[in-house]
Amino acid sequence: HWGVCNPGIHLGNPHLFQWSILDVSDLTDASGTQWVRERIAARFSELMGATADFTTVRHEGRLPLDTETLLNALNVGSAYVLSAHLQRFDGQAGSIVIDVVDTEGGERVNELSGHTDFTMENLDAGITAWVNKAVLHFAGRPGLLGARIACVRRLEPGVKEIYLLKFGDFEVTPLTHDGSLALLPSWTPDGRVAFTSYRQERPKIFIHGTTAAFTEFDGMNSGIEWSLDGSMAAVTLSMDGNSEIYLLEGTTGAVRARLTYHPGIDTSPSWSPDGNGIAFCSDREGTPQIYVMNVDGSDKQRLTLIGNYNTSPDWHPFGPHLAFAGRIGGEFQVFRMDLEDGSTHQLTYGPGDCEGPDWSPDGRLIVCACGSRNSQNIYVMNPDGSGKRAITIDDGPYYAP
């Protein structure tokens, strides 16, 4: 948990520096390699740009790297040059040599330079792994490329399924095939997807890969989230006739405690990073608002004081920040609350709704669903709302990433 030592978030431009991605040169005896060389350079540029750490610029350069090439890179604002050379290619498999050089000093970064083999099937995976390695090298923390995102996709009226995508890849794949409503995906401590499903008519919580329900109490079972250590889970149940927050055993699903006792609707629990608090949504004062309580249900306090509909809180993985959705001007937008001073910051401005915000595992990005009712994509953005970009492109519509 590298981030536990740093409770803050980086506002403004989060990028470390810019790279120059040179055109891939051909050192092979093969003919017709232009397409694969362009594919390699383009994917390096695209995947490095997909991170919140680097920006990229494409331009030509000489092999081997000379002073003029480095000066050109320096003049366009690049701190490092990435030069790749196609050494071997037979149409389906090959090898490349990568050189990373500091534009100012001309020193080679040996940890990121060297020879690598590839096939066309694993080319993207190899470049993804290299980019994550570069993030780790320069930022001292793991890269996000390849991180899995679970979300909901509406296929037709009355049918929603859970889908998966990987950050940095536009491909979206179905996880469930219930033919009913599968909603509110969340991650288990061992990396599986839990979700609320109506596959057995009444909403129950299932974990993908198992046939039996994880919770099937009377009434509604919805919106589960595990604590960081996996020992406990917070969930919304209505087995006593009203929607309340309960604490469950993290492995068995047995009820450990009921945390809320109010005739209003209490839902959407989210754990604090230290495991001692839970944020949740409640309409106990007339309209849905964000509250926080201790893990034993004591000391409930209202957090949101502006707006008449605030919901879907998500606690930053290691800092005093909450992301949530709030209705303003008839549309839902994403907000960030800084819990140390109570300030609230609007991050999205439409058009359409932006809902279901969720922090990335490293706390440097927020994912949400934005658009209209019939054309909603998944977006990521920086913690101040800058750098907003779509990571799905087919309009879904998608929800609850």
Side-chain angles (χ1 to χ4, degrees):
H1 307 296
W2 64 268
V4 173
C5 299
N6 176 13
I9 54 177
H10 194 298
L11 301 178
N13 185 354
H15 299 116
L16 297 175
F17 51 78
Q18 177 178 283
W19 291 76
S20 278
I21 311 296
L22 304 186
D23 293 342
V24 177
S25 56
D26 190 356
L27 302 182
T28 73
D29 295 328
S31 60
T33 64
Q34 176 62 33
W35 67 275
V36 71
R37 290 186 285 121
E38 174 57 28
R39 168 77 180 274
I40 292 170
R43 290 305 282 161
F44 268 114
S45 182
E46 291 164 2
L47 290 172
M48 293 178 77
T51 72
D53 300 275
F54 307 127
T55 58
T56 64
V57 60
R58 294 274 308 274
H59 59 82
E60 296 179 348
R62 292 178 180 171
L63 176 68
L65 287 175
D66 60 4
T67 302
E68 182 179 349
T69 299
L70 293 178
L71 284 175
N72 288 339
L74 196 61
N75 287 336
V76 297
S78 296
Y80 288 85
V81 170
L82 186 151
S83 176
H85 323 302
L86 187 64
Q87 192 173 54
R88 176 180 57 84
F89 188 63
D90 63 8
Q92 292 297 325
S95 62
I96 56 175
V97 177
I98 297 173
D99 281 307
V100 175
V101 177
D102 180 344
T103 55
E104 265 194 47
E107 293 91 359
R108 188 173 188 259
V109 182
N110 292 324
E111 296 86 347
L112 299 176
S113 302
H115 171 278
T116 183
D117 295 324
F118 70 91
T119 66
M120 294 310 300
E121 289 184 354
N122 69 14
L123 178 61
D124 280 6
I127 295 175
T128 293
W130 187 92
V131 174
N132 281 337
K133 184 179 177 180
V135 172
L136 182 61
H137 177 80
F138 287 109
R141 52 176 169 70
L144 275 179
L145 290 180
R148 294 177 298 162
I149 299 172
C151 61
V152 175
R153 183 178 188 178
R154 190 179 80 229
L155 301 183
E156 59 183 84
V159 178
K160 293 181 178 179
E161 303 286 4
I162 307 299
Y163 276 68
L164 287 182
L165 66 151
K166 290 183 178 180
F167 184 57
D169 186 346
F170 289 109
E171 184 177 355
V172 184
T173 57
L175 187 73
T176 65
H177 302 85
D178 286 5
S180 60
L181 293 176
L183 309 168
L184 298 175
S186 64
W187 292 98
T188 67
D190 60 357
R192 294 179 293 166
V193 177
F195 56 97
T196 299
S197 176
Y198 284 73
R199 65 172 68 164
Q200 297 176 359
E201 297 184 359
R202 183 167 53 84
K204 302 175 183 179
I205 292 175
F206 292 84
I207 297 176
H208 180 67
T210 61
T211 55
F214 182 74
T215 67
E216 49 183 344
F217 299 103
D218 291 341
M220 177 182 63
N221 301 251
S222 178
I224 193 168
E225 183 171 309
W226 273 263
S227 60
L228 183 64
D229 63 5
S231 64
M232 299 178 289
V235 68
T236 303
L237 303 174
S238 63
M239 59 181 177
D240 293 324
N242 192 53
S243 175
E244 307 285 357
I245 307 295
Y246 286 77
L247 200 62
L248 307 181
E249 294 287 344
T251 54
T252 67
V255 172
R256 179 181 290 189
R258 176 175 168 176
L259 302 184
T260 61
Y261 293 83
H262 198 278
I265 296 175
D266 299 323
T267 187
S268 303
S270 176
W271 288 88
S272 65
D274 62 8
N276 294 325
I278 295 175
F280 65 102
C281 177
S282 177
D283 67 353
R284 59 185 56 208
E285 295 184 32
T287 62
Q289 299 293 338
I290 308 300
Y291 293 77
V292 66
M293 60 182 167
N294 294 330
V295 72
D296 61 1
S298 63
D299 194 22
K300 296 178 178 66
Q301 300 180 35
R302 179 172 168 177
L303 295 179
T304 51
L305 302 175
I306 300 175
N308 62 5
Y309 201 123
N310 297 300
T311 186
S312 305
D314 188 63
W315 215 307
H316 190 276
F318 53 84
H321 316 283
L322 275 178
F324 65 94
R327 189 168 63 191
I328 180 169
E331 296 177 333
F332 281 95
Q333 303 299 335
V334 174
F335 293 80
R336 186 192 77 245
M337 173 176 281
D338 297 336
L339 299 178
E340 290 182 330
D341 60 11
S343 60
T344 299
H345 311 271
Q346 185 174 345
L347 305 184
T348 63
Y349 292 86
D353 295 308
C354 284
E355 304 175 273
D358 195 74
W359 291 94
S360 63
D362 67 353
R364 299 186 74 242
L365 294 173
I366 297 172
V367 65
C368 59
C370 297
S372 63
R373 174 176 172 81
N374 294 315
S375 59
Q376 191 154 280
N377 277 303
I378 305 297
Y379 286 77
V380 295
M381 59 185 168
N382 301 322
D384 61 356
S386 64
K388 180 184 170 189
R389 56 197 185 275
I391 58 173
T392 60
I393 53 177
D394 59 4
D395 293 337
Y398 296 98
Y399 312 89

